[in-house]
Short mmCIF file of all heavy atoms in Angstrom, two decimals:
data_model
loop_
_atom_site.label_atom_id
_atom_site.label_comp_id
_atom_site.label_asym_id
_atom_site.label_seq_id
_atom_site.Cartn_x
_atom_site.Cartn_y
_atom_site.Cartn_z
N LEU A 302 -13.18 1.96 -41.01
CA LEU A 302 -11.87 1.33 -41.35
C LEU A 302 -11.89 -0.12 -41.00
O LEU A 302 -11.18 -0.89 -41.81
CB LEU A 302 -10.89 2.11 -40.36
CG LEU A 302 -9.43 1.76 -40.69
CD1 LEU A 302 -8.48 2.86 -40.61
CD2 LEU A 302 -8.89 0.57 -39.70
N THR A 305 -13.40 -1.95 -43.85
CA THR A 305 -12.57 -1.93 -45.05
C THR A 305 -11.27 -2.67 -45.04
O THR A 305 -10.89 -3.39 -46.00
CB THR A 305 -12.09 -0.40 -45.38
OG1 THR A 305 -13.29 0.39 -45.38
CG2 THR A 305 -11.38 -0.24 -46.61
N TYR A 306 -10.55 -2.65 -43.94
CA TYR A 306 -9.28 -3.28 -43.87
C TYR A 306 -9.25 -4.68 -43.10
O TYR A 306 -8.23 -5.34 -42.94
CB TYR A 306 -8.22 -2.36 -43.21
CG TYR A 306 -7.94 -1.21 -44.18
CD1 TYR A 306 -8.56 0.05 -43.94
CD2 TYR A 306 -7.02 -1.40 -45.10
CE1 TYR A 306 -8.27 1.12 -44.79
CE2 TYR A 306 -6.82 -0.28 -45.91
CZ TYR A 306 -7.52 0.96 -45.82
OH TYR A 306 -7.14 2.07 -46.56
N ILE A 314 -4.61 -1.34 -34.78
CA ILE A 314 -4.83 0.12 -34.53
C ILE A 314 -4.98 0.35 -32.96
O ILE A 314 -4.55 1.23 -32.41
CB ILE A 314 -5.98 0.65 -35.45
CG1 ILE A 314 -5.53 0.62 -36.90
CG2 ILE A 314 -6.44 1.95 -34.94
CD1 ILE A 314 -6.62 0.96 -37.89
N LEU A 375 3.31 8.07 -40.24
CA LEU A 375 3.10 6.70 -40.86
C LEU A 375 2.68 6.86 -42.32
O LEU A 375 2.98 6.05 -43.11
CB LEU A 375 2.03 5.97 -40.00
CG LEU A 375 2.32 5.55 -38.58
CD1 LEU A 375 1.25 4.93 -37.84
CD2 LEU A 375 3.60 4.52 -38.74
N LYS A 376 1.85 7.81 -42.59
CA LYS A 376 1.43 8.10 -44.00
C LYS A 376 0.62 6.85 -44.46
O LYS A 376 0.76 6.54 -45.70
CB LYS A 376 2.61 8.40 -44.90
CG LYS A 376 3.23 9.73 -44.58
CD LYS A 376 4.27 10.09 -45.58
CE LYS A 376 4.95 11.45 -45.05
NZ LYS A 376 6.10 11.86 -46.07
N GLU A 377 -0.18 6.21 -43.68
CA GLU A 377 -0.92 5.01 -44.05
C GLU A 377 -2.38 5.34 -43.83
O GLU A 377 -2.75 5.74 -42.74
CB GLU A 377 -0.45 3.77 -43.35
CG GLU A 377 0.95 3.28 -43.68
CD GLU A 377 1.32 2.13 -42.86
OE1 GLU A 377 0.31 1.20 -42.43
OE2 GLU A 377 2.44 1.85 -42.64
N GLU A 378 -3.14 5.13 -44.85
CA GLU A 378 -4.70 5.40 -44.66
C GLU A 378 -5.22 4.55 -43.44
O GLU A 378 -6.16 5.02 -42.80
CB GLU A 378 -5.34 5.05 -45.98
CG GLU A 378 -6.71 5.56 -45.93
CD GLU A 378 -7.55 5.34 -47.27
OE1 GLU A 378 -6.76 4.89 -48.32
OE2 GLU A 378 -8.76 5.44 -47.34
N SER A 379 -4.68 3.30 -43.38
CA SER A 379 -5.30 2.39 -42.33
C SER A 379 -4.95 2.82 -41.03
O SER A 379 -5.38 2.27 -40.14
CB SER A 379 -4.82 0.91 -42.68
OG SER A 379 -3.34 0.94 -42.62
N GLN A 380 -3.92 3.77 -40.87
CA GLN A 380 -3.55 4.24 -39.54
C GLN A 380 -3.77 5.68 -39.30
O GLN A 380 -3.26 6.30 -38.44
CB GLN A 380 -1.95 3.98 -39.32
CG GLN A 380 -1.60 2.50 -39.55
CD GLN A 380 -1.83 1.77 -38.34
OE1 GLN A 380 -2.04 2.22 -37.28
NE2 GLN A 380 -1.90 0.41 -38.56
N SER A 381 -4.70 6.29 -40.18
CA SER A 381 -4.87 7.65 -40.14
C SER A 381 -6.07 8.19 -39.32
O SER A 381 -6.63 9.24 -39.58
CB SER A 381 -5.10 8.22 -41.55
OG SER A 381 -6.17 7.59 -42.27
N LEU A 382 -6.55 7.37 -38.37
CA LEU A 382 -7.74 7.78 -37.63
C LEU A 382 -7.48 8.82 -36.64
O LEU A 382 -6.36 8.94 -36.09
CB LEU A 382 -8.14 6.50 -36.77
CG LEU A 382 -8.79 5.27 -37.64
CD1 LEU A 382 -9.25 4.25 -36.64
CD2 LEU A 382 -10.01 5.82 -38.46
#
Side-chain angles (χ1 to χ4, degrees):
L302 184 143
T305 303
Y306 294 97
I314 289 171
L375 288 175
K376 296 180 180 178
E377 295 179 22
E378 186 179 352
S379 62
Q380 300 285 341
S381 62
L382 291 182

